[in-house]
Amino acid sequence: MINDLMVEVMIRNYIKIAWRNIAKNKAYTAINVLGLAAGMAVALIIALWVANEYSYDRFLPDADRVYQVRRNFNSNGETLTFSSTSLKLADVLKTMPEIEYVAPTDWGGTHGLMVGDKKLSIDGVQAGSDFLKIFQYNFLQGSRATALNDPYSIVLTKTTALALFGTGNVINKVVKVDNNYNLKVTGVIQDVPLNSSLQFKYVIPFSLMEQQPYMKGAHDSFGNNSFELFATLKPGVTYAQLAPKILHIEKGEKNINAENSDVIMQPMADWHLFSDYKNGVAAGGFIDYVRTFSIVGVLVLLIACVNFINLTTARSEKRAREVGIRKAIGSQRQHLIFQFLTESTLITLISFICSILFIQIALQPFNALTGTTIAIPFNSAIFWLIAIGCVLLTALVAGSRPAFYLSSFNPVKVLKGTIQVGRSASYSRKVLVVMQFSSSIALIISTVVIYRQIQYAKNRPAGYDINRLIATNANEDLGKHYSAFKNELLQSGVIESISTASSAITDINMHNNLDQWPGKMAGETVEMGVIAVANDYFKTVGMKILAGRDYNNVVSDSLNVIFNEAAVKRLRLKGDPISQVITYGGKQRKIIGVVKNALMLSPFAQADPTMFLYNNDPHQNMIYRLSSKVNPHSAIDKIGQVFSKYSPAYPYSYRFVDDDYNRKFGQEVLVSKLAGIFAGLAIFISCLGLFGLAAYIAEQRTKEIGVRKVLGATVSQLWFLLSKDFVLLVLISCMIASPVAFYFLQGWLQKYDYRVTVGPGVFIISAAAAIIITLTTISFQAIKAAIANPVKSLRSE
């Protein structure tokens, strides 16, 4: 009992002394708290973001048994992985005893939903009857078991149901889809969370799509790869058991796609983070950035801990006599260590509270930047256990060296004044400063290179003119009146030209193999993009025809093709490609034109080999080029009026093509912004420590500065005296950071075909920026000490 009381009194005494020391040194405490709080805030917000990225697709029941079916296609020795599969494959998989559910899907873009005068144009999915058994979203109304059994049914998300019907029971109410089908509502599910790879607002049975004439024979061949398949394994079955049974399941069919395809599956937990395949294996994707920023979070926190270590050991002379007296009156070393660790823990706890406040302030703009809805899970016991553990670990990392260092002083030497405590730790302090700035400078270099890579790709010629180009989704009603719609818009003068295509300008919806072409070698395959286009397509998008001619709106053109430069190169067509004959879809087709390469997929990669087929029937994607003589807002209003005239059942929606194109840089822009923010915070935290060290050194050398001033030293000479050591440390940091950053950035750039070269200019700019920031940080203290009255500093002498 007495021992417990003594321990309690001792701990209370430690906390009281720690608090007094913290309150006594307000400036240094503020620097430590601000630095640690910033470091902890960065680490915590990155941890929340990383947890959110890892949470993708893991929220559904039985998520560990859900897979997407993919194909590894052998293209002349190169393995290409596709998510597009066939309905015949779905039929075969349904018969396998290891598989519980299989659902084919078609993510066919935007459709029009109408109830009375309420009209929506939103994205949905057409899916097999097992879709909602595989993906067990919470049903608010209706039955999961039967929701997609009837071809003329529809399942809505909560938000869609509210928009169309308001509150109340909507089961068996009717929604008109594409002004064509009256579908009965058979279910309402909870809105799909943002951390889901699959995003949709409604589900229509796949069986309705199968009734269409164009779907005739869709189940007959493994080569008709136009759909995505999802499957659930039966309980107790592993993918390792199933994989060898499905790998060669398509072999034997006399079809290039089937003969060269191996069937694989990817677990749902990997869809978001492991989207990049190399040689048929999931090799990375967004996981690379998640891991990188996890390391950045730890680095920034360590940089903050270094500040605490440096400032505490730098001011150790102030505590030396305290340690000497405590040891002289009987304090054990472990008691002193505990005392200093108590101070460290108290400062870390205060910093943690401040970091929570910083995060609360930063979360809204951070969520807006990253497109997330991250929040601090205050109600989670796991969060608090992890947070407390991190606080204690940070306190130990930040406080262990000062604690062991200060407690090691010899009391006799300290009390005699024969120990120079400040100089004994100067070397290790310099090493820690170099570590700090090396990390910060590496982040600065990375930010500069990422930004340059984005700008390099943005400045790359797109191959078409994206200015004043608008796209919208067509529909069946508009297709019936397309000629009248087109003529009225052209006569109004608000547009220069209009056309339609089977793919958006910034995408290629279909890739397929050619059957035959001049110079084809035995067993060779060529898979290229295929786009059906209507009249005036190349004129409207501004794609330059380099050889041959455009389509002339004649029936015979339906058997002609136009290639881009990449397709001609890929086929190794010798001489003039015009009038050479290829075979596609079982039909011989003549090449009548070659157009300039256009960046329809990734702006960082080479242009895809692409074949343009002629089909003047209206397609799903409609493109307009606005007149340069008309205000864009007025032109859009006019287009909307004409659209509503010929398609009254659909709301008019549009998008600027340049916005679609810029979205292709979304991931890189996000990474660039995050890297810039974290690099800025890292350098800010490093400079906080530098500011504190500069103040301490100026204080230690007050009398030396006074003597030098009396002997005639100028302010600039004294400024140089106090600054040169810090600048030298930063230069050393630059020499360490540059090769490390170069090594990792070279690896990152290798994933882009179209990339910048990392030249010496990047490192010179980053080094110059670091030196300027350093000089700015320490100049205040250096100049303050240099202009001080030497009489005051020398009075005691």
Side-chain angles (χ1 to χ4, degrees), residues 705-724:
I705 292 167
V707 171
R708 287 178 179 274
K709 284 201 73 175
V710 169
L711 294 175
T714 63
V715 171
S716 59
Q717 288 172 330
L718 294 172
W719 171 81
F720 179 77
L721 174 72
L722 294 172
S723 303
K724 64 179 182 180

Side-chain angles (χ1 to χ4, degrees), residues 159-390:
T159 299
T160 306
L162 285 172
L164 291 173
F165 297 103
T167 58
N169 192 338
V170 301
I171 298 298
N172 293 326
K173 292 187 177 181
V174 175
V175 178
K176 195 160 193 174
V177 176
D178 290 340
N179 202 31
N180 194 6
Y181 304 102
N182 289 317
L183 305 184
K184 183 173 60 177
V185 178
T186 54
V188 176
I189 62 173
Q190 192 64 261
D191 288 345
V192 179
L194 288 176
N195 60 340
S196 170
S197 296
L198 306 180
Q199 293 292 327
F200 56 89
K201 300 295 185 182
Y202 57 87
V203 186
I204 296 173
F206 197 82
S207 54
L208 176 64
M209 181 179 176
E210 290 183 294
Q211 295 178 4
Q212 307 308 310
Y214 63 83
M215 289 290 289
K216 185 179 180 180
H219 289 263
D220 297 342
S221 170
F222 286 123
N224 186 4
N225 295 299
S226 303
F227 311 96
E228 293 189 11
L229 297 184
F230 300 95
T232 300
L233 305 188
K234 286 184 177 177
V237 176
T238 65
Y239 178 61
Q241 294 172 308
L242 179 65
K245 295 184 179 182
I246 65 172
L247 186 64
H248 302 304
I249 206 168
E250 294 189 354
K251 305 298 184 187
E253 182 174 297
K254 292 182 179 180
N255 178 283
I256 293 176
N257 265 314
E259 284 295 330
N260 288 278
S261 291
D262 291 334
V263 178
I264 62 171
M265 291 184 178
Q266 185 183 35
M268 184 162 66
D270 291 349
W271 294 351
H272 177 63
L273 295 176
F274 295 89
S275 57
D276 293 346
Y277 275 75
K278 290 182 180 178
N279 298 318
V281 178
F286 202 68
I287 185 65
D288 299 329
Y289 296 116
V290 169
R291 289 169 177 165
T292 298
F293 283 115
S294 298
I295 295 170
V296 169
V298 173
L299 274 178
V300 173
L301 183 57
L302 287 176
I303 288 170
C305 291
V306 166
N307 278 356
F308 185 91
I309 294 169
N310 274 347
L311 290 176
T312 306
T313 54
R315 294 186 61 79
S316 58
E317 189 173 350
K318 301 279 186 182
R319 307 292 297 275
R321 285 185 174 80
E322 174 193 340
V323 172
I325 292 170
R326 281 174 172 270
K327 282 193 170 184
I329 61 177
S331 287
Q332 300 295 318
R333 188 181 182 190
Q334 59 265 32
H335 296 155
L336 292 169
I337 290 172
F338 192 81
Q339 166 68 56
F340 292 122
L341 287 177
T342 301
E343 289 184 27
S344 171
T345 303
L346 192 56
I347 289 176
T348 306
L349 188 58
I350 295 170
S351 301
F352 175 72
I353 294 170
C354 292
S355 74
I356 294 292
L357 295 175
F358 291 165
I359 292 171
Q360 286 292 83
I361 295 169
L363 268 180
Q364 185 174 351
F366 183 83
N367 282 332
L369 174 65
T370 57
T372 56
T373 54
I374 295 170
I376 300 176
F378 290 112
N379 296 326
S380 170
I382 295 175
F383 167 76
W384 287 112
L385 285 173
I386 294 173
I388 291 169
C390 289

Side-chain angles (χ1 to χ4, degrees), residues 711-785:
L711 294 175
T714 63
V715 171
S716 59
Q717 288 172 330
L718 294 172
W719 171 81
F720 179 77
L721 174 72
L722 294 172
S723 303
K724 64 179 182 180
D725 288 343
F726 291 112
V727 173
L728 179 61
L729 294 178
V730 173
L731 286 173
I732 294 171
S733 300
C734 291
M735 289 187 285
I736 294 172
S738 295
V740 173
F742 178 79
Y743 173 78
F744 286 105
L745 287 168
Q746 280 292 95
W748 176 73
L749 287 169
Q750 289 306 309
K751 71 184 209 177
Y752 301 111
D753 296 330
Y754 192 79
R755 56 182 179 266
V756 294
T757 54
V758 183
V762 173
F763 305 105
I764 294 170
I765 291 170
S766 300
I771 292 170
I772 291 170
I773 292 169
T774 301
L775 289 174
T776 303
T777 302
I778 62 179
S779 288
F780 173 78
Q781 296 291 357
I783 294 172
K784 178 183 175 184

Side-chain angles (χ1 to χ4, degrees), residues 644-662:
S644 298
K645 175 181 175 181
Y646 292 102
S647 182
Y650 296 82
Y652 176 63
S653 61
Y654 64 91
R655 59 190 185 276
F656 285 96
V657 172
D658 58 352
D659 289 338
D660 287 348
Y661 186 76
N662 288 332

